[in-house]
Amino acid sequence: GAGVSQSPSNKVTEKGKDVELRCDPISGHTALYWYRQSLGQGLEFLIYFQGNSAPDKSGLPSDRFSAERTGGSVSTLTIQRTQQEDSAVYLCASSLGGLNTEAFFGQGTRLTVV
Amino acid sequence: RKEVEQDPGPFNVPEGATVAFNCTYSNSASQSFFWYRQDCRKEPKLLMSVYSSGNEDGRFTAQLNRASQYISLLIRDSKLSDSATYLCVVNSQDASKIIFGSGTRLSIRP
C-alpha cells in the first residue's frame, strides 16, 4: 500500500488477555517507531526499529510489552496480561531513516481494555 | 531533562491573530527539525521541515536558533482550521531516530 497500515483499527479486550497489534510500514522504510497516546495526551515513545533490530526499547512501560520486526518490514507490538491503563491509541510510524527524513504515521489502533 | 520540550498550551487566540510556539531541544548536535500537526483523533502529519536559514510556507514560518537550541513556528492570519496540536520533532543525539515533543495545543476562536 501507499501508506503505513495498522491493524486492527479498534480492539476491545478483557483485562488479563494478550493482544497483538500489527504495523505494515511503507515499503523500503528501514526505520519504524511505535508510540502510545492516551486521550488528550502527547505521544509517548515506546520502541524504535532500524531494520529488524531495536536499538532503543527504552520506552516500553513494562515487561508485559514486547515488539518484533521481521524481514525489515512488518512489526508487531504485543501486550500481555492487559491492564486498563493500557487503553490508548497505539501509533506506528516509518521513515527512510537517517537525517532529514519525514516519518509517516498509520492511523493507529485504538485499544480499550475493559 | 526531556530531549524535546514544548509548552503544552492550550493557546486560545482569535481568528486572524498571529501566534508563535517555541520548542527547545537538548542535543546541540541535532541536525533535523520538523513541525507536525495532529488533528483531534487523527494521526500526526508533517506540516513543514525546518531549515537552518528559516523557511516559510504560506502563513507558516519556521525558524531555527542553534545557539539557543530552539525552533519556532509562527502562524499568521490564523484560521479556524488551524486549530490542532502542533508537534515539534528533532533527531536524536546519535542521529539514529527522531524524537517527538508532546505537542502544543492551539485553539482558534471566531
Side-chain angles (χ1 to χ4, degrees), chain B residues 33-102:
Chain B
F33 309 91
F34 308 89
W35 282 103
Y36 276 66
R37 169 188 170 135
Q38 185 175 25
D39 293 302
C40 188
R41 301 176 81 86
K42 297 285 190 181
E43 73 276 18
K45 292 185 179 178
L46 179 69
L47 177 66
M48 59 196 301
S49 300
V50 185
Y51 302 123
S52 297
S53 55
N55 48 299
E56 190 173 304
D57 183 2
R59 298 181 293 109
F60 297 82
T61 300
Q63 291 191 315
L64 168 64
N65 185 317
R66 285 192 184 275
S68 300
Q69 293 180 213
Y70 74 85
I71 65 173
S72 64
L73 177 67
L74 180 80
I75 307 174
R76 290 181 300 279
D77 187 24
S78 54
K79 312 291 184 191
L80 295 176
S81 57
D82 295 334
S83 296
T85 296
Y86 291 83
L87 300 161
C88 166
V89 180
V90 178
N91 73 324
S92 66
Q93 185 164 359
D94 61 359
S96 64
K97 64 181 173 75
I98 54 175
I99 300 168
F100 283 78
S102 54

Side-chain angles (χ1 to χ4, degrees), chain A residues 32-36 44-49 53-63 65-67 77, chain B residues 3 92 94 96-99:
Chain A
L32 186 147
Y33 310 83
W34 282 99
Y35 294 88
R36 177 168 76 170
E44 177 187 1
F45 169 76
L46 297 179
I47 189 169
Y48 155 71
F49 286 93
S53 64
D56 190 346
K57 303 180 183 180
S58 62
L60 294 177
S62 76
D63 59 9
F65 287 72
S66 63
L77 176 69
Chain B
E3 291 184 80
S92 66
D94 61 359
S96 64
K97 64 181 173 75
I98 54 175
I99 300 168

